[in-house]
Amino acid sequence: MPVVLLEGCGSGAAALRPFTSTAIRVDCPPAERERRLRARADWPGYAPHRARFLAQERRYFATAPEPDLVVRG
């Protein structure tokens, strides 16, 4: 059976859950996420949009279904 791996914060969206077998969220403390984001090579292009993306992310996670597994660290 073929395996398809979806990556990204929206990959566990409710609309996709009927088509997925397992949803996994990788999570770490907000300060660490911010540090990793700013260390990325594409940070300069991302930075002007950070506040808007963060607001969208918060709205998404407020209503997103719980994943099958959360990996912390």
Side-chain angles (χ1 to χ4, degrees):
M1 173 179 268
V3 174
V4 176
L5 176 67
L6 300 177
E7 183 274 332
C9 71
S11 61
L16 296 175
R17 290 309 299 267
F19 308 103
T20 60
S21 62
T22 307
I24 300 170
R25 182 173 65 219
V26 179
D27 200 7
C28 66
E32 178 62 13
R33 287 196 308 269
E34 191 69 21
R35 185 195 68 75
R36 291 177 185 181
L37 178 63
R38 291 171 183 269
R40 290 173 48 147
D42 61 349
W43 170 248
Y46 185 99
H49 309 285
R50 178 64 176 133
R52 183 170 44 94
F53 290 163
L54 185 57
Q56 291 171 342
E57 198 175 89
R58 287 181 176 148
R59 283 193 305 274
Y60 169 75
F61 283 116
T63 61
E66 285 297 312
D68 299 300
L69 174 67
V70 177
V71 178
R72 301 193 191 284

